[in-house]
Amino acid sequence: MKCSIASDKFRRKFAEQIEEICGERISLCYQCGKCSAGCPVTYAMDYLPSQITRFAQLGLTDKAMKSSTIWICASCQTCSVRCPRGIDLAKIMDALRILAKRKGIVPKEQIAPLFDGIFLGSIEKYGRLNELSLITKLNMASGRPFKDVSLLPIMLKKGKIKLKPQKSNPGKEVRYLMRKVEKLESK
Amino acid sequence: MARIGVFVCHCGTNISATVDVKKVAEIAKGFPGVKFTTDYRYMCSEPGQDLIQKMVKEHNLTRIVVAACSPSLHEKTFRTCTQNAGLNPYFFEMANIREQCSWVHDDREEATLKAIDIVKLAAAKVGKNNPLQTTFIPVEKRVLIIGGGISGIQAAIDVAFNGFETVIVEREPSIGGRMAMFDKTFPTLDCAACILTPKMVEVNQSDLIKLYTYSEVEEVSGYVGNFKVKIRRKARLVDENKCNGCGTCWQRCPVRLPSEFDMNLGKRKAIYVPFPQAVPNVPVIDQEHCLYINKKKCGICKKVCPFEAIDYEQKDEVIEEKFGAIIVATGFTMFDHSIYGEYGYGKYKNVTTGLHFERMLNSSGPTGGKIVRPSDGKEAKKVVFIQCVGSRDEARGMPYCSRLCCMYTAKQALLLKEHNPEAEAYVFYIDIRAAGKNYEEFVERVQDEYGATYLRGRVSKIFQRNGRLMVRGCDTLSGTQIEIDADLVVLATALIARPDAIKLAQMLHIPYDQNRLFTEAHPKLAPVETVTTGVFLTGACQSPKDIPDTVATASAASVKACGLLSHEKLPIDPQIARVDVEICSGCLACQEVCPFGAIEKEEIVDRVTQQKRWVAKIAPSLCNGCGACNTACRPGAIDLDGFTEEQIFGQIESLTADKGDER
Amino acid sequence: MMKVAYYPGCSLHSTAREYDISFQLVCRKLGIELQEIPHWVCCGSSPAHVTSHLLSIALPCKNLILAEEMGLDTVVAPCAACFNRLKIAKQEVAEDSKLKKEVEEVLGKPSAGKIEVKHPLQVIIEDVGLKKVEEMARRKLQGLRVASYYGCLLVRPPSVINFDDPEDPQSMDNLVSALGGEALPWAFKTECCGASFSLSETDIVFELSGEILNEALEAGAECILVACPLCQSNLDLRQKGIEKRRGKKFNLPILYFTELLGLALGMSMRQLGLSRHIVNPSKLLERKLAVT
C-alpha cells in the first residue's frame, strides 16, 4: 500500500499537539532505535516504539494511533531513561493514547483501554479502586468471563480481595473532580 | 577639518534586501564632516576599492568609512585600500551593517534606521582618528610543539625540513601517542607501527628536533615571535645520557604492574619503556610503585645497570626556553563508558573499548595478537561492536559525531575475521559515516567480503548471563529487536578533549568550545590558527580526526608556523594602550587587570619635582588592545590608540545630540 | 519520634495487606509514627495518565493537599506506582504554571508545594539509617540469598525520583547486606514485570515476570525482595501460571522488604502477615532464619 506523508503544516500541528499534551518534542528523535532495543514488550507490538515516533514525525497519525504498540506500552520508561536525545518516549506514548481516546479511534481488540475505563469508573464511584468489580467487569467487557476465576478463592482466602468495596468517604468529590477535568479539557 | 567619505555596500542582497542602502548613503551626506557618500554592489571587489581611491582623489577625502560587513572579515582589505589611496591606514572605520544589522533584523524600515545610526557612529569616530604607525618586533626562530603523537611528530618533521629548530614536549616517556597503540590502519591496512616508527626515528635523528619526553609545559608567557615557556622535565630517575636502552633493568625489576600502553591487558615493570620501539629508548621509574623509592628495598635496577644510569636522587627540573611559535598537538582521550548503567557501569570485564581491541589485535601486544575475553583469556569467537558510545548523545555524552569510529570499527571487524575466519562480527550502528577516500568501499568490503553483520540501531542494554554477555539491541531496518550472546563487546567510545585541556587553553590564551575542544580562528578559512597569533592547532585537540586528517593539519600548522618564522621581524597592531606618565599615579591597578601581562612598572624622574617615582609601562608587543587597563585607570592616564576616549565620547555625542533634536 | 503522613494507596488496603501490616509494624519499631491521610483517594495510577494528563496530576495533588492539611512535612507512599505519581505531580505542578492553574481550578484549592514525597525505603535509608537498623536487628539473615527487584516506577524517571540508581539500584541490596543476608548482583533489577497489565494483558505479565523469575533463579536467589505491590502481585500471584507455561519450577517467595526487615527486627511471620503470600515463604524462612 502506498502511503504518502502528510503536509508540513499538518505535521507541525500534530507535533505541537503532542508537545501541548506531554511537553515532549518528537522532532528531536534521530531514530537511533535505542528505545526499541530496550523495550521489554516489542515482541507483542506491531511496530517498534521508534517507528511510532517516526510515524508521528511524518504526520502518519492514523498509523501511530491505530497501532497496537501504543496500547501494549507498559509505561516502564526504560526508553525514556536511556534516550540519547533526552526524549521521554513513555510520555509521547501517553499523549498518543490520550489523542486516540479523544478521537474515538481506539482499536476494539485492545483490552488495556477497557481496563483504563473500568478502573477510572471505579474510582469515580468509590474514590478508590474496587478490585473485585474491576476483574468481573473487565472479564465481561473483554469477552473472557472465566479469566482468572480460579484465582478468586485463594485471593479471597488470603484477604487479597474483599467482597465489600473500599471507599474513600468523600467519594463524590472524585466524581466532581473528574467532571471538572473533563470540562476544562473539552474547552 | 577631516573630509569624510562614506561608502555603503549592498553585499549583493545580503545587506540591500533588508537595509535601504541608497537612503543610508543619502542621509549620511548630512553628517558632520561628510563630503561624499555613495553606495555600491560589492565594496570589497576590485572596482569597489578602485572607487574609493578614485573618490579620495576627486573629492580630496581624508577619512574613509565603509559600511559593509564585520571588520573581522574585510577591515584589512579596506585599511590597505585606504593606504593605497595615500592616507594613513588608520584613517578608516568600518561600519558593520551586515552581521549587526541586516542579518539579524526583518523590518526594513527599522533596520535602515539602525544602519544609519551605525554609519553615524563610524563617521563621528573616524573624524577623530589619529594616524598610527605599525611597529615591528624580532622573531625567535624556534617552534614549540606540545604533544608527541603522530600530529606533533609530523609537525616537527615539517618544521625541521624548513630549516627551523623545534622542540617536542611529550608527557609520556616516549613519543608515538595513540597511533603507536594501533594495530593496522584503515582503509589500506598498513601496519601502524610500520608507518609510524620511521617518523619517530626521523625525529630522533634530526639535529633540528629536540625531544623533551616525560615533560610538561608549565607556564607560557610572551607573545608571537617571543614566547617564553617553562617546561617541567619530570624525574625519570634514569640518566638519558648514560642509558643505552639495553633493558637489563626492566628485565630484572621484580614489580609487575598493569601496562597503560596495553590498556591494562598486559603487564609492565616499575622501571619500563612503554613499548619496544619507544623513542627515546630510555626507561622511566614509576615512582609510585618502585620498591626502592617507597620502602628503600630492592634497588636491583641500580645494581644491574652496566652504565650506572640509574639515579634515584634525580629531581624534576624546570627549564625555560624561548620560541617564536607554538603548535598544540595534544590529541584526545577516550570517553569513559562507565557512566552508562545499561552497559554495566564498566563492571563487565568483557565489555571493552576500541583501544583494548587494538592492543589485542597487535601481534606484539599483550595477547600476542589473539582476540580473547579479558575475563578468562579464552578466545572470543562472537564479538559485538557498538558504535556511538558517548558520541551523538546529548543526554549523557558528547553531542558530536566522533568521526572515525565507523571506520575503525569496520577495520576491527575485518581484522577479527582475518585473525579467525570462524569468528562472528556484529556491528550496531546508527549511520555509517564513511566520507573519505576509499572509505565507503572499505566498509562495503567488510560487509560483503568478510561477512560482518551490520545492524542498524543503538544497543540498549548489556548484561551478563552464565558468563556470557547478552547484548540487547535492535535492527530498525527490519523492525526487529535483537539479543546476541557475545564473548566480547567492543565499544567505540567517543573521542573527547583531555581533562586538562582548559588549563592549557588558559596558559596559551586560546579559546575552547563547550566540549573543551580548542577553537580554531575560523572554522573554514583559518582551521589551524587560533585567535592568539603564533599559536596553531593540529590533530584531535581541535576536533576528532583520523590519521590522514591529523597529518594534514600538522603540515598545515607547520607551514603557518614556518611562515611566521621566515620573517626577521613581525608587525604588531598599533591599536594598543598608551600611558600618560604625567598623569599616572603609579597605583598599578592596570597591572592587576591586564590579561596579557603587558604592564610593568617603570621608574621615572618626575618632570616637576625631580623626584623618582613609579609609573605603569606598556609592552607594545604584549598588549592586545583589550582596554581593560583603560577602564581600571582611576586618574585616566591610560588611553587606547584607535579607541581613544575622545573618539568614543564623540560617538556617543553624535547619537545623543541627534536624539535630543527628535525630542 | 518522626511523624509522617501515610498514603497507603488502594493496593495496601487490598492485594497488598501484608505490605501495609509489615510496614506499620516496622515503623512502630523504628520510631516512626504513621498518620494515614484521612479520606485519601486513588492516585489514578496508569489508567489516569494514559487517559488525561490533567486528571493524572489532579488526583495525586488532591492527596498532597490532604496530607499538607495534616500539618506534616512528609508523606510516605509504599506503593511504587503511587509514589511515582505523587512525585511526578508535585514536580510538574512546580515547573508548569499553566498546569498549576488548571489543577487549582479543578481542586478549588491552592496546590500543595512544600510536602515531601518519600518511599519507605528512602525513609529507612535516609532518615533512620542503615546503621541504626543494623544495631536494632535481633536476627541475622544468615546469608539468605536475596535478589532485590526494584521494578520501574521506584527509580524512574531519575530526574523526578532522585533516589537510587535507575539501572543498578542498591538501596534494598544495602539493607539486605546490613541485615546479614547475601545481596545478589543481577541484571534484572529494573526490568519491567508487566505492571498494570496483570488483568488486561496477562500474557505479557507471564512473559516479563517469567524472565525476571528465571534470571533471579539463575543468579542463585532463594527469594526475591520487592518494594511495590504490583511487582509483588505479578511475581507471586502469577508464579504458578508462569511455571506452567515455562515448564519450570521456581518456587521463589516474593517478599516485601518490610517483611524481611520485620523478621530481622524480631517479629514473627504470623505478625507480619506472611501467610498471605501465594508462594509460601515459611519453609525457606524457617530453614534459613529459624523463625516461626
Side-chain angles (χ1 to χ4, degrees):
Chain A
M1 187 183 72
K2 258 196 200 165
C3 178
S4 52
I5 61 170
S7 71
D8 267 15
K9 206 174 143 197
F10 179 85
R11 282 150 62 182
R12 210 174 316 127
K13 215 184 123 208
F14 188 62
E16 276 165 15
Q17 228 174 345
I18 290 179
E19 193 174 345
E20 162 86 34
I21 295 174
C22 69
E24 297 298 312
R25 287 177 51 199
I26 51 172
S27 59
L28 284 177
C29 172
Y30 66 12
Q31 291 290 317
C32 74
K34 197 172 186 183
C35 47
S36 301
C39 177
V41 272
T42 46
Y43 76 93
M45 293 170 166
D46 50 2
Y47 293 108
L48 294 176
S50 54
Q51 288 177 302
I52 299 298
T53 315
R54 190 71 189 137
F55 294 155
Q57 285 176 332
L58 298 179
L60 303 174
T61 52
D62 265 24
K63 262 193 125 150
M65 286 189 278
K66 287 180 181 168
S67 72
S68 73
T69 301
I70 64 170
W71 304 107
I72 295 297
C73 164
S75 303
C76 74
Q77 303 169 58
T78 305
C79 48
S80 310
V81 210
R82 297 177 186 161
C83 176
R85 301 285 281 169
I87 304 168
D88 192 337
L89 181 53
K91 278 191 178 170
I92 294 177
M93 291 291 175
D94 279 354
L96 290 169
R97 289 185 274 222
I98 290 168
L99 278 174
K101 283 179 184 175
R102 272 192 208 160
K103 292 191 176 169
I105 49 170
V106 178
K108 280 202 182 65
E109 67 277 12
Q110 292 303 331
I111 301 165
L114 292 175
F115 172 88
D116 300 337
I118 296 165
F119 187 109
L120 292 177
S122 171
I123 65 169
E124 184 174 8
K125 193 166 175 193
Y126 304 111
R128 292 178 193 171
L129 179 63
N130 176 7
E131 269 96 354
L132 188 58
S133 96
L134 174 67
I135 294 173
T136 48
K137 279 186 180 162
L138 183 65
N139 282 0
M140 296 319 285
S142 59
R144 313 176 291 186
F146 302 111
K147 188 178 174 296
D148 292 333
V149 166
S150 62
L151 287 172
L152 290 181
I154 188 156
M155 289 182 78
L156 279 165
K157 188 179 146 214
K158 301 261 180 189
K160 287 193 172 285
I161 46 173
K162 290 184 198 126
L163 294 170
K164 208 174 130 220
Q166 57 168 325
K167 279 185 198 172
S168 169
N169 223 1
K172 281 212 180 87
E173 271 187 28
V174 176
R175 197 170 312 158
Y176 177 69
L177 182 157
M178 287 167 95
R179 296 259 158 78
K180 275 199 119 170
V181 167
E182 253 170 58
K183 232 170 100 189
L184 254 178
E185 280 182 336
S186 63
K187 259 190 210 167
Chain B
M1 184 69 183
R3 297 176 59 82
I4 303 168
V6 175
F7 299 84
V8 186
C9 181
H10 298 209
C11 195
T13 53
N14 271 306
I15 296 170
S16 62
T18 323
V19 169
D20 182 345
V21 285
K22 291 220 180 297
K23 190 175 171 192
V24 175
E26 194 50 42
I27 301 238
K29 282 205 169 92
F31 297 159
V34 173
K35 302 296 173 201
F36 173 80
T37 71
T38 187
D39 61 282
Y40 190 73
R41 240 176 113 68
Y42 290 105
M43 282 314 307
C44 61
S45 68
E46 234 176 69
Q49 295 185 52
D50 287 348
L51 178 70
I52 295 174
Q53 295 178 24
K54 211 170 129 204
M55 290 306 118
V56 167
K57 290 207 176 76
E58 232 166 73
H59 296 270
N60 206 10
L61 302 173
T62 59
R63 299 285 196 278
I64 306 296
V65 170
V66 176
C69 54
S70 160
S72 70
L73 297 170
H74 272 305
E75 191 176 60
K76 202 169 154 237
T77 310
F78 295 116
R79 278 236 166 93
T80 312
C81 171
T82 307
Q83 193 169 20
N84 292 343
L87 303 174
N88 182 285
Y90 293 89
F91 282 170
F92 155 78
E93 283 298 324
M94 198 141 186
N96 181 358
I97 59 166
R98 193 178 74 177
E99 283 84 344
Q100 291 179 354
C101 189
S102 70
W103 277 357
V104 289
H105 299 296
D106 299 319
D107 188 317
R108 191 173 163 83
E109 220 165 285
E110 298 269 346
T112 304
L113 287 176
K114 180 172 168 184
I116 290 167
D117 276 349
I118 294 172
V119 172
K120 186 189 286 176
L121 284 166
K125 187 180 174 215
V126 82
K128 297 179 170 24
N129 278 15
N130 296 315
L132 299 175
Q133 302 304 334
T134 308
T135 52
F136 291 87
I137 45 163
V139 179
E140 184 74 34
K141 302 212 169 213
R142 300 173 84 223
V143 179
L144 168 68
I145 295 170
I146 309 174
I150 179 59
S151 144
I153 289 171
Q154 183 64 47
I157 290 172
D158 289 342
V159 171
F161 183 71
N162 280 283
F164 296 107
E165 200 181 302
T166 139
V167 169
I168 298 179
V169 174
E170 165 60 48
R171 176 185 290 176
E172 299 298 326
S174 167
I175 58 166
R178 300 284 187 193
M179 189 177 167
M181 297 166 78
F182 302 162
D183 180 43
K184 294 190 169 65
T185 56
F186 61 81
T188 48
L189 298 182
D190 288 307
C191 144
C194 309
I195 56 175
L196 174 66
T197 48
K199 286 186 186 282
M200 290 166 64
V201 173
E202 191 179 341
V203 162
N204 208 18
Q205 289 173 344
S206 167
D207 291 335
L208 285 171
I209 304 174
K210 196 147 82 171
L211 271 185
Y212 290 150
T213 53
Y214 211 47
S215 302
E216 286 184 56
V217 170
E218 268 204 347
E219 204 183 299
V220 178
S221 57
Y223 45 90
V224 57
N226 295 274
F227 290 107
K228 269 190 255 169
V229 181
K230 282 192 182 147
I231 300 159
R232 174 174 294 271
R233 306 209 60 198
K234 291 180 282 184
R236 273 189 126 90
L237 307 192
V238 179
D239 188 331
E240 276 184 69
N241 298 320
K242 289 184 185 164
C243 171
N244 83 338
C246 70
T248 314
C249 55
W250 69 76
Q251 281 153 18
R252 301 284 298 276
C253 173
V255 184
R256 285 168 67 80
L257 298 159
S259 156
E260 297 84 356
F261 185 82
D262 282 334
M263 299 299 290
N264 297 339
L265 292 168
K267 299 274 188 229
R268 65 160 169 85
K269 299 295 184 64
I271 181 163
Y272 69 104
V273 288
F275 56 102
Q277 306 98 314
V279 170
N281 187 27
V282 175
V284 290
I285 291 180
D286 172 351
Q287 298 201 37
E288 203 183 319
H289 297 100
C290 168
L291 291 178
Y292 184 81
I293 299 296
N294 289 289
K295 297 180 185 154
K296 291 278 173 274
K297 279 182 193 158
C298 184
I300 290 175
C301 49
K302 194 180 169 87
K303 279 174 224 152
V304 299
C305 177
F307 307 99
E308 296 182 338
I310 309 291
D311 175 8
Y312 294 130
E313 306 304 320
Q314 205 183 63
K315 294 275 174 291
D316 284 11
E317 189 190 352
V318 178
I319 54 172
E320 189 177 288
E321 296 200 0
K322 284 185 81 179
F323 300 96
I326 298 174
I327 294 176
V328 187
T330 47
F332 62 94
T333 190
M334 303 302 288
F335 181 85
D336 180 7
H337 66 269
S338 70
I339 66 141
Y340 289 113
E342 62 267 44
Y343 294 169
Y345 283 127
K347 283 182 312 211
Y348 303 137
K349 276 193 173 165
N350 296 339
V351 176
T352 62
T353 72
L355 270 182
H356 290 93
F357 199 75
E358 288 292 336
R359 291 315 296 150
M360 286 203 261
L361 284 171
N362 200 303
S363 53
S364 65
T367 58
K370 267 179 80 178
I371 306 303
V372 300
R373 311 196 304 185
S375 63
D376 57 9
K378 283 193 187 137
E379 189 171 18
K381 291 188 185 125
K382 207 167 175 184
V383 181
V384 171
F385 297 89
I386 303 177
Q387 308 231 251
C388 301
V389 177
S391 304
R392 306 180 72 190
D393 182 350
E394 264 161 290
R396 282 176 293 167
M398 314 311 289
Y400 56 76
C401 161
S402 286
R403 215 158 164 251
L404 40 131
C405 328
C406 284
M407 290 310 298
Y408 81 64
T409 299
K411 174 200 74 181
Q412 291 180 339
L414 180 150
L415 292 176
L416 170 71
K417 290 280 198 175
E418 279 206 335
H419 280 233
N420 177 5
E422 298 301 309
E424 291 173 62
Y426 297 89
V427 179
F428 281 100
Y429 71 99
I430 306 176
D431 300 293
I432 298 175
R433 295 186 170 169
K437 197 173 180 181
N438 292 322
Y439 284 12
E440 175 63 20
E441 296 90 322
F442 182 81
V443 176
E444 278 168 21
R445 199 151 64 93
V446 172
Q447 297 180 54
D448 174 40
E449 253 176 65
Y450 287 83
T453 309
Y454 270 65
L455 298 161
R456 198 209 163 275
R458 218 188 246 275
V459 165
S460 178
K461 182 168 177 160
I462 306 168
F463 60 99
Q464 253 173 334
R465 181 184 281 160
N466 302 329
R468 289 180 76 76
L469 291 169
M470 306 302 293
V471 180
R472 233 180 231 180
C474 97
D475 177 46
T476 61
L477 299 179
S478 58
T480 350
Q481 202 176 38
I482 287 163
E483 201 166 271
I484 299 174
D485 62 321
D487 290 307
L488 185 70
V489 170
V490 182
L491 307 176
T493 47
L495 276 74
I496 58 167
R498 290 189 171 275
D500 49 2
I502 294 175
K503 203 176 121 195
L504 185 63
Q506 285 167 346
M507 238 188 261
L508 295 164
H509 299 300
I510 57 173
Y512 50 88
D513 64 14
Q514 68 274 26
N515 303 312
R516 293 182 292 119
L517 293 164
F518 300 142
T519 309
E520 62 288 344
H522 190 281
K524 294 175 191 68
L525 302 177
V528 297
E529 292 96 317
T530 67
V531 291
T532 303
T533 319
V535 178
F536 304 100
L537 303 175
T538 154
C541 64
Q542 182 258 346
S543 73
K545 284 185 186 62
D546 58 14
I547 297 168
D549 285 0
T550 297
V551 169
T553 56
S555 295
S558 43
V559 165
K560 295 283 173 184
C562 294
L564 268 182
L565 267 49
S566 66
H567 294 85
E568 290 307 318
K569 285 176 169 193
L570 290 174
I572 53 169
D573 191 340
Q575 298 190 105
I576 53 173
R578 182 169 33 80
V579 180
D580 186 340
V581 293
E582 302 292 322
I583 305 173
C584 177
S585 66
C587 73
L588 293 169
C590 49
Q591 200 176 27
E592 304 257 311
V593 297
C594 177
F596 305 99
I599 301 177
E600 284 170 26
K601 58 178 181 179
E602 184 187 26
E603 199 177 46
I604 60 158
V605 177
D606 192 283
R607 205 164 48 95
V608 183
T609 61
Q610 290 301 309
Q611 300 280 312
K612 280 186 182 172
R613 65 179 176 97
W614 295 107
V615 292
K617 186 190 173 194
I618 310 250
S621 46
L622 285 177
C623 177
N624 276 31
C626 73
C629 55
N630 196 0
T631 48
C633 181
R634 271 163 291 191
I638 301 186
D639 217 345
L640 195 58
D641 280 340
F643 295 89
T644 59
E645 307 232 334
E646 198 199 350
Q647 287 174 300
I648 306 284
F649 280 111
Q651 288 186 295
I652 297 169
E653 275 160 22
S654 76
L655 274 189
T656 47
D658 193 50
K659 293 287 178 283
D661 294 347
E662 274 171 27
R663 251 178 254 129
Chain C
M1 185 129 182
M2 184 182 171
K3 208 190 267 184
V4 293
Y6 179 36
Y7 179 79
C10 305
S11 299
L12 273 81
H13 277 202
S14 57
T15 51
R17 273 292 286 152
E18 63 273 31
Y19 193 11
D20 183 34
I21 294 167
S22 56
F23 178 49
Q24 299 219 31
L25 280 174
V26 163
C27 280
R28 204 168 305 154
K29 194 93 177 178
L30 295 175
I32 301 160
E33 189 184 328
L34 296 178
Q35 287 195 347
E36 187 164 327
I37 301 171
H39 313 309
W40 59 266
V41 299
C42 172
C43 71
S45 193
S46 49
H49 72 73
V50 301
T51 306
S52 153
H53 182 243
L54 181 56
L55 181 65
S56 76
I57 302 297
L59 283 169
C61 280
K62 180 172 174 56
N63 292 301
L64 291 177
I65 293 173
L66 288 173
E68 212 161 80
E69 281 170 355
M70 296 164 74
L72 298 170
D73 55 10
T74 304
V75 57
V76 59
C79 167
C82 302
F83 166 69
N84 186 282
R85 292 316 304 170
L86 291 177
K87 284 277 263 197
I88 285 177
K90 193 191 159 199
Q91 175 150 330
E92 285 199 17
V93 165
E95 285 173 358
D96 183 344
S97 55
K98 185 172 161 257
L99 179 67
K100 184 175 173 189
K101 234 181 91 194
E102 286 174 348
V103 167
E104 288 177 349
E105 198 178 329
V106 168
L107 299 176
K109 275 183 185 175
S111 59
K114 278 185 233 136
I115 195 148
E116 206 181 331
V117 181
K118 283 190 175 178
H119 187 269
L121 259 177
Q122 235 176 326
V123 174
I124 284 163
I125 288 187
E126 291 171 6
D127 298 328
V128 179
L130 284 180
K131 207 167 159 240
K132 188 175 169 200
V133 171
E134 205 179 330
E135 282 163 13
M136 290 179 72
R138 289 220 246 119
R139 236 183 236 129
K140 282 273 167 209
L141 293 185
Q142 309 283 14
L144 183 70
R145 294 198 303 276
V146 184
S148 294
Y149 172 67
Y150 299 78
C152 318
L153 301 173
L154 185 61
V155 287
R156 290 197 282 255
S159 59
V160 178
I161 302 296
N162 208 5
F163 168 64
D164 217 332
D165 185 287
E167 296 288 353
D168 187 14
Q170 297 294 334
S171 47
M172 274 197 279
D173 294 79
N174 292 341
L175 179 69
V176 168
S177 302
L179 297 174
E182 188 186 338
L184 299 170
W186 65 312
F188 274 47
K189 287 179 180 181
T190 60
E191 289 294 316
C192 178
C193 68
S196 59
F197 286 149
S198 188
L199 298 174
S200 54
E201 297 283 356
T202 315
D203 281 351
I204 287 180
V205 172
F206 281 141
E207 177 66 27
L208 301 190
S209 289
E211 286 290 299
I212 292 163
L213 289 169
N214 194 47
E215 202 66 27
L217 196 70
E218 294 291 323
E222 292 171 303
C223 63
I224 297 178
L225 207 58
V226 295
C228 168
L230 297 175
C231 303
Q232 202 280 341
S233 165
N234 282 340
L235 294 171
D236 186 33
L237 184 64
R238 298 293 180 189
Q239 198 172 124
K240 276 249 151 58
I242 292 166
E243 287 178 340
K244 215 162 132 193
R245 284 169 56 112
R246 296 181 78 107
K248 184 172 179 178
K249 275 270 174 224
F250 292 113
N251 198 23
L252 278 171
I254 314 297
L255 303 170
Y256 289 107
F257 76 96
T258 45
E259 293 172 333
L260 210 54
L261 178 56
L263 290 173
L265 291 173
M267 296 158 202
S268 71
M269 291 201 280
R270 203 174 50 82
Q271 272 176 303
L272 291 163
L274 278 160
S275 60
R276 289 171 183 267
H277 288 288
I278 308 290
V279 179
N280 188 351
S282 54
K283 250 198 188 143
L284 170 74
L285 298 174
E286 277 162 23
R287 179 163 56 84
K288 291 285 270 202
L289 311 185
V291 291
T292 50

